[in-house]
Amino acid sequence: MADKNIEHNAPVLVIGLGRFGASVAETLVKQGREVLAIERSPELVQQWASTLTHVVAADATNIDALRQLGAQEFSSAVVGVGTSIESSVLITVNLVDLGIEHLWVKAITPSHGKILTRIGANHVIYPEADAGVRAAHLVGGRMLDFIEFDDGFAIVKMYPPKETQGFTLAQSQVRSKYGVTIVGVKSPGEDFTYAMPDTMVTRRDVLIVSGLVDWLERFAARPKVQTHHERRWPPTSFGCRPPPFVLLVPSRVPR
């Protein structure tokens, strides 16, 4: 959830340039944000010196070192240290004592995260656990991407089930039948467009769908391939179609 009290263009302090910290710092720079990165390893400092705004070799568990670097002037900080729970906790305590208001801290385990919350970290992040959940939803091949929010709500990227192929969204009635909402559609070679009632879905499209995780899983599990002998009827329920026409032939052919 966005914090209304954060200055969106303010500089950010990033401590730890492992995979997580470096990715955060690099993305912030690409967004035009000024970043001060603090890393204990001289090798990582040299590696990122030409990419990030400012990179300093220092021990962030030492509060005096942080003061000398002006850490107290920052309103937002990210702690990407994850190999040592002790270091993570000490750094977080130092930043809280320096009065930094918004802290995003990487946690390794739930107990680690609980400690971070109690000492003042207002945003605890579990990148490994979040990546594992995302991978579990993608590994079955039903979804192309998966982002989960609070209260079991998520947004996914997926191929269209066959019940939607060849019909407009108004005809397929996805929201009323499946409990999920198609918010965007991408056709091959075109940009994503907002989904409208008259948006036609084809077999080659990609959908952006939002809803509760369980309902999204059920919708994504629907068959994707429309066989050549199936008639193009708008669905009336999960996989149900009206019966085929019956051609009545008279027993006698008039002469």
Side-chain angles (χ1 to χ4, degrees), residues 134-196:
R134 179 173 176 269
H137 286 282
L138 302 181
V139 73
R142 298 172 179 175
M143 300 178 182
L144 302 173
D145 205 351
F146 176 91
I147 302 174
E148 185 171 1
F149 300 93
D150 295 333
D151 302 323
F153 186 86
I155 293 180
V156 305
K157 181 167 72 171
M158 56 177 284
Y159 291 119
K162 67 178 183 180
E163 289 96 335
T164 65
Q165 298 171 17
F167 306 107
T168 66
L169 296 181
Q171 290 174 322
S172 57
Q173 301 179 26
V174 169
R175 188 171 185 177
S176 62
K177 289 183 171 61
Y178 304 103
V180 299
T181 302
I182 297 177
V183 296
V185 178
K186 185 182 188 305
S187 298
E190 300 181 11
D191 295 330
F192 272 103
T193 59
Y194 290 110
M196 305 295 289

Side-chain angles (χ1 to χ4, degrees), residues 30-80:
K30 289 179 179 179
Q31 293 174 349
R33 305 286 291 275
E34 185 177 355
V35 172
L36 170 60
I38 300 176
E39 168 59 48
R40 191 185 315 200
S41 167
E43 290 79 11
L44 288 175
V45 170
Q46 184 177 4
Q47 176 182 341
W48 291 100
S50 60
T51 303
L52 306 180
T53 315
H54 309 284
V55 187
V56 179
D59 182 4
T61 62
N62 186 333
I63 193 170
D64 292 328
L66 291 175
R67 284 198 181 98
Q68 292 176 5
L69 294 172
Q72 65 276 8
E73 303 298 327
F74 290 80
S75 60
S76 299
V78 177
V79 180

Side-chain angles (χ1 to χ4, degrees), residues 65-244:
L66 291 175
R67 284 198 181 98
Q68 292 176 5
L69 294 172
Q72 65 276 8
E73 303 298 327
F74 290 80
S75 60
S76 299
V78 177
V79 180
V81 176
T83 55
S84 169
I85 293 179
E86 181 182 359
S87 295
S88 170
V89 171
L90 285 174
I91 292 170
T92 303
V93 169
N94 288 342
L95 297 178
V96 171
D97 289 345
L98 290 174
I100 298 180
E101 186 177 0
H102 306 287
L103 297 176
W104 285 263
V105 186
K106 173 184 175 180
I108 303 173
T109 64
S111 58
H112 180 200
K114 183 181 294 186
I115 294 172
L116 293 173
T117 299
R118 290 189 175 181
I119 63 178
N122 41 15
H123 304 279
V124 177
I125 305 167
Y126 300 88
E128 284 85 1
D130 293 343
V133 171
R134 179 173 176 269
H137 286 282
L138 302 181
V139 73
R142 298 172 179 175
M143 300 178 182
L144 302 173
D145 205 351
F146 176 91
I147 302 174
E148 185 171 1
F149 300 93
D150 295 333
D151 302 323
F153 186 86
I155 293 180
V156 305
K157 181 167 72 171
M158 56 177 284
Y159 291 119
K162 67 178 183 180
E163 289 96 335
T164 65
Q165 298 171 17
F167 306 107
T168 66
L169 296 181
Q171 290 174 322
S172 57
Q173 301 179 26
V174 169
R175 188 171 185 177
S176 62
K177 289 183 171 61
Y178 304 103
V180 299
T181 302
I182 297 177
V183 296
V185 178
K186 185 182 188 305
S187 298
E190 300 181 11
D191 295 330
F192 272 103
T193 59
Y194 290 110
M196 305 295 289
D198 60 351
T199 300
M200 178 69 70
V201 176
T202 70
R203 179 175 57 86
R204 301 176 60 194
D205 288 341
V206 172
L207 308 180
I208 301 296
V209 189
S210 65
L212 296 177
V213 173
D214 290 344
W215 292 7
L216 288 169
E217 286 283 2
R218 294 171 190 167
F219 184 60
R222 302 299 303 152
K224 302 296 186 295
V225 178
Q226 182 80 276
T227 57
H228 71 277
H229 62 274
E230 290 179 318
R231 302 187 64 89
R232 310 292 288 181
W233 287 91
T236 56
S237 61
F238 278 73
C240 297
R241 297 189 307 276

